[in-house]
Amino acid sequence: MADKNLSDDILRDKLDKKYMKAALAQARKAIELGEVPIGCVIVYDGKIIGRGYNRRNTDKSVLCHAEITAIKKACKKIGDWRLEDCTLYVTLEPCQMCAGAIVQSRIPRVVMGALSPKAGSGGTVINILDNPEFNHQVEITKGVLEEDCSAILKEFFTELRKRNKAEKEAKKAAMALEDSNE
């Protein structure tokens, strides 16, 4: 029996990594748009039925988080708002809005990569996903491909800071040139 549990754990770990890599591929799509690289996939019966990546700035909507997009697509694919037999994989711990949507859609399991110390609602700041006061609780698996998920975010924000600094310096130089021409 212990061997079967061990082999089940090994298989689950392997599948978690496989699908987290798919979520990372979604996060890379966000980078192409200049968005914060967060990606999500939803798996049902061994198949990805919902994909999403952060598009808040592109779509000018606070609702365009990776998880919300993936949930909408998965619901459409299944033909129901309940995603009771699905697993959601996300590169960054869900915020309070996304955690609420996960609970509402009855997703039984969430696998996350990096934790979010500022907005994490899967246990870091608050735990909406596994709150016994709600009518649905979510099994949480943390830290799957955490280094990869953290690295893509760190690289994005490092580049963003460099780009913002360069833009600020260019603006300052242009203003100085304009002042000297007057």
Side-chain angles (χ1 to χ4, degrees):
M1 185 68 173
D3 288 342
K4 182 180 177 353
N5 288 341
L6 181 60
S7 64
D8 288 349
D9 289 346
I10 291 169
L11 177 61
R12 188 178 203 185
D13 184 57
K14 186 177 178 178
L15 289 172
D16 284 351
K17 288 177 181 172
K18 172 186 173 180
Y19 293 121
M20 188 60 74
K21 286 178 184 175
L24 278 163
Q26 293 298 302
R28 288 185 196 91
K29 290 181 180 183
I31 288 177
E32 292 173 18
L33 297 175
E35 297 276 2
V36 177
I38 301 167
C40 178
V41 298
I42 297 176
V43 176
Y44 173 75
D45 201 22
K47 294 179 184 79
I48 296 174
I49 62 163
R51 300 173 197 270
Y53 53 92
N54 189 25
R55 295 180 52 98
R56 287 188 311 179
N57 293 319
T58 303
D59 293 349
K60 311 272 187 275
S61 173
V62 71
L63 301 174
C64 293
H65 286 212
E67 300 94 325
I68 301 296
T69 301
I71 288 169
K72 284 173 71 174
K73 290 178 180 178
C75 288
K76 188 173 184 176
K77 183 84 169 177
I78 284 185
D80 194 358
W81 62 268
R82 293 174 202 87
L83 300 174
E84 293 171 331
D85 296 316
C86 297
T87 300
L88 183 143
Y89 294 84
V90 63
T91 58
L92 182 66
E93 180 180 3
C95 71
Q96 63 275 27
M97 175 180 69
C98 294
I102 291 164
V103 170
Q104 288 296 314
S105 62
R106 309 297 193 266
I107 294 172
R109 181 168 181 252
V110 170
V111 179
M112 28 181 139
L115 299 180
S116 178
K118 293 183 179 180
S121 297
T124 300
V125 174
I126 189 171
N127 196 344
I128 292 173
L129 295 177
D130 191 25
N131 185 324
E133 300 295 317
F134 293 140
N135 64 333
H136 176 74
Q137 290 77 42
V138 179
E139 176 189 341
I140 301 167
T141 301
K142 297 179 182 179
V144 174
L145 298 182
E146 183 174 9
E147 288 180 18
D148 295 342
C149 294
S150 292
I152 195 171
L153 287 161
K154 286 177 186 170
E155 183 179 328
F156 173 82
F157 284 111
T158 298
E159 290 302 314
L160 181 63
R161 282 189 288 279
K162 285 180 188 175
R163 193 168 55 248
N164 287 345
K165 184 178 179 183
E167 287 174 8
K168 187 176 180 180
E169 289 172 1
K171 192 175 188 180
K172 196 175 185 181
M175 287 175 66
L177 182 61
E178 189 178 293
D179 287 346
S180 68
N181 288 334
E182 289 180 358

